[in-house]
Amino acid sequence: MQYIYPFTAIVGQEKMKKALILNAINPKIGGVLIRGEKGTAKSTAVRALADLLPEIEVVEGCPFNCDPNGELCDICKEKKEKGELKITKKKMKVVNLPIGATEDRVIGTLDIEKAIKEGIKALEPGILAEANRNILYIDEVNLLDDHIIDVLLDAAAMGWNIIEREGVKIKHPSRFILVGTMNPEEGELRPQILDRFGLMVDVEGLNNVKDRVEVIKRVEEFNNNPEEFYKKFEEEQRKLREKIIKAREILKDVEISDELLEFISKVCIELGIQTNRADITVVRTAKAIAAYNGRTKVNLDDVKEAMELALPHRMRRKPFEPPQLNKEKLEQMINEFKEQLNNNENKNNEKNNEDDLKKNMM
Ligand SMILES: Nc1ncnc2c1ncn2[C@@H]1O[C@H](COP(=O)(O)OP(=O)(O)OP(=O)(O)O)[C@@H](O)[C@H]1O
């Protein structure tokens, strides 16, 4: 058995861990872009997340990991009609996208001559097939060919990939948790691409001696005896896994008030954010945060946390400036909103008191 460094053994880096967990609760948040220095546990956290998450049910033998209870590829659809669909379970995995990947490697290919003779054996699934219902990890996404990024992000947005050659088409679901990493010193991403990542976090190296020493000790302990180390964190891992499963279950019941929706849109407008993806992602993220905390009602703190993850990379900025959230402005708007809520509550209380008084006088 191969042991993966446990997610709960990662020291600090709370924001990165939270962003990953929220995407695991709702992959429709649209992934996370992790900006930061080398050696700050980015890839460790992603591998650890895949290992932490529960196994997924897949159609046996399906190259696209189709969900037997969800959307099916053309091949599985046929199998289902014939009653030949078998179910098995698989661990989630991290699929790496190499920097030099070609379009064919990403989308997949069909050998037409072979297709005529041998049918489906002619299919060469691409990275999007492998990534379906897994985690797609793009290290140094800012160095990736623009065209490949577009192809990837389009598939991610539609949730489908089409492999097409000379009129022969195979369509398969392509839903994954997208994680991109980049070192800003090696160049920024275009705003259009930044906007397609649901969340963004900046990771910095740990600046505290105690934390750094803890990292050394843990990594050494893990390397010397992974099995023992794993056992030590087993209980914490189990608790976190169950918290995520519970959050996934209640996510569909999570509600957000119209007042909070208006507040989100107002903040986006006030911060000069044009893209509607900002508002949508804030809402999805805030709902996932509420679900993670076991609640079915979004509150203002959830919204604030969601904004800190979903807005910085969508702020308008000058060329070569790093993406940053105007925190003072956000804080000021939150305070104004709280005041407005208090006023509304006072007015409601006054009205209720007046109504009670009238009733008593009748
Ligand atoms: N906060 C942390 N907690 C535990 N281990 C850490 C932490 N930060 C770094 N490490 C350890 O440091 C090493 C490097 O981490 P990792 O490979 O995840 O870095 P990275 O951010 O993905 O960098 P790169 O881009 O170079 O791959 C690993 O052994 C990892 O376990």
Side-chain angles (χ1 to χ4, degrees):
M1 173 166 171
Q2 198 207 344
Y3 287 95
I4 305 282
Y5 189 88
F7 192 85
T8 50
I10 294 169
V11 180
Q13 310 296 14
E14 299 305 331
K15 217 169 165 185
M16 168 173 70
K17 287 192 277 188
K18 193 69 170 286
L20 289 170
I21 290 172
L22 296 175
N23 272 285
I25 294 170
N26 183 7
K28 286 193 178 148
I29 286 174
V32 51
L33 173 67
I34 310 174
R35 290 162 45 97
E37 302 283 328
K38 299 212 143 290
T40 45
K42 300 186 294 291
S43 52
T44 302
V46 174
R47 276 195 303 270
L49 179 75
D51 186 55
L52 173 85
L53 294 177
E55 288 188 323
I56 49 170
E57 277 196 342
V58 295
V59 174
E60 197 179 271
C62 173
F64 312 115
N65 290 321
C66 275
D67 176 359
N69 304 307
E71 290 158 332
L72 296 175
C73 69
D74 294 341
I75 309 166
C76 289
K77 258 191 220 156
E78 244 185 79
K79 276 191 186 168
K80 192 174 185 178
E81 277 157 24
K82 291 185 196 156
E84 290 171 359
L85 210 77
K86 284 195 194 131
I87 300 174
T88 182
K89 278 193 170 183
K90 258 192 189 174
K91 259 210 104 46
M92 279 180 78
K93 64 174 182 177
V94 180
V95 177
N96 284 293
L97 183 87
I99 290 291
T102 59
E103 189 174 340
D104 276 356
R105 179 74 194 94
V106 173
I107 294 180
T109 55
L110 269 171
D111 180 336
I112 290 299
E113 261 179 50
K114 211 170 162 192
I116 294 164
K117 279 190 246 145
E118 302 175 37
I120 209 62
K121 280 190 205 150
L123 172 75
E124 259 189 54
I127 287 169
L128 287 173
E130 236 188 298
N132 187 33
R133 302 176 67 219
N134 283 316
I135 300 175
L136 182 60
Y137 186 72
I138 316 175
D139 198 15
E140 308 203 77
V141 61
N142 48 337
L143 305 184
L144 202 66
D145 184 86
D146 276 2
H147 175 61
I148 297 292
I149 295 200
D150 286 339
V151 167
L152 262 171
L153 295 176
D154 280 346
M158 285 191 303
W160 288 95
N161 177 44
I162 300 170
I163 309 170
E164 188 173 10
R165 284 289 175 283
E166 296 170 45
V168 182
K169 268 193 207 175
I170 291 185
K171 195 174 159 206
H172 69 84
S174 183
R175 297 192 186 280
F176 44 82
I177 299 174
L178 178 67
V179 183
T181 71
M182 60 174 279
N183 183 347
E185 282 166 13
E186 284 159 5
E188 287 293 346
L189 274 175
R190 282 185 290 142
Q192 297 92 309
I193 292 176
L194 278 175
D195 181 35
R196 306 285 286 270
F197 278 94
L199 311 180
M200 190 201 85
V201 288
D202 274 308
V203 284
E204 284 171 13
L206 301 167
N207 286 324
N208 169 316
V209 173
K210 198 166 145 254
D211 286 348
R212 288 186 85 111
V213 170
E214 190 59 30
V215 169
I216 309 171
K217 283 188 181 166
R218 287 189 185 184
V219 172
E220 283 300 90
E221 208 181 320
F222 175 71
N223 282 331
N224 291 339
N225 193 341
E227 196 178 345
E228 272 305 305
F229 189 77
Y230 216 79
K231 272 193 203 141
K232 222 166 124 176
F233 284 88
E234 209 166 4
E235 182 57 13
E236 256 186 272
Q237 291 278 99
R238 188 191 58 77
K239 277 192 194 148
L240 180 58
R241 186 180 305 114
E242 277 172 11
K243 202 171 164 186
I244 294 172
I245 295 174
K246 176 93 200 307
R248 282 176 172 174
E249 279 166 15
I250 64 167
L251 184 67
K252 59 181 182 323
D253 303 319
V254 177
E255 288 174 357
I256 181 163
S257 69
D258 282 352
E259 270 167 335
L260 279 173
L261 289 181
E262 274 169 30
F263 173 67
I264 292 166
S265 295
K266 217 164 135 188
V267 169
C268 290
I269 294 169
E270 196 76 16
L271 293 177
I273 298 172
Q274 299 288 316
T275 170
N276 285 93
R277 282 201 192 97
D279 319 34
I280 295 165
T281 313
V282 168
V283 171
R284 283 182 187 165
T285 310
K287 283 183 171 179
I289 295 170
Y292 185 57
N293 291 319
R295 281 182 280 108
T296 52
K297 275 212 163 44
V298 171
N299 66 28
L300 187 57
D301 287 340
D302 303 332
V303 169
K304 184 177 177 228
E305 192 179 348
M307 282 176 168
E308 284 170 1
L309 292 165
L311 297 187
H313 55 305
R314 295 185 165 103
M315 297 279 294
R316 233 193 256 164
R317 66 197 158 99
K318 298 195 183 85
F320 309 113
E321 261 185 14
Q324 254 173 4
L325 184 63
N326 186 341
K327 283 202 174 161
E328 282 139 45
K329 181 92 203 152
L330 178 62
E331 208 60 53
Q332 183 197 334
M333 292 193 74
I334 285 176
N335 288 336
E336 282 168 16
F337 181 69
K338 277 185 188 159
E339 236 171 74
Q340 183 199 322
L341 283 183
N342 272 343
N343 288 346
N344 289 353
E345 206 175 314
N346 288 344
K347 271 188 202 151
N348 277 345
N349 285 345
E350 273 171 29
K351 189 166 178 313
N352 287 344
N353 288 345
E354 272 173 31
D355 290 349
D356 285 349
L357 208 68
K358 274 184 201 158
K359 262 190 223 157
N360 289 341
M361 284 167 70
M362 279 194 332

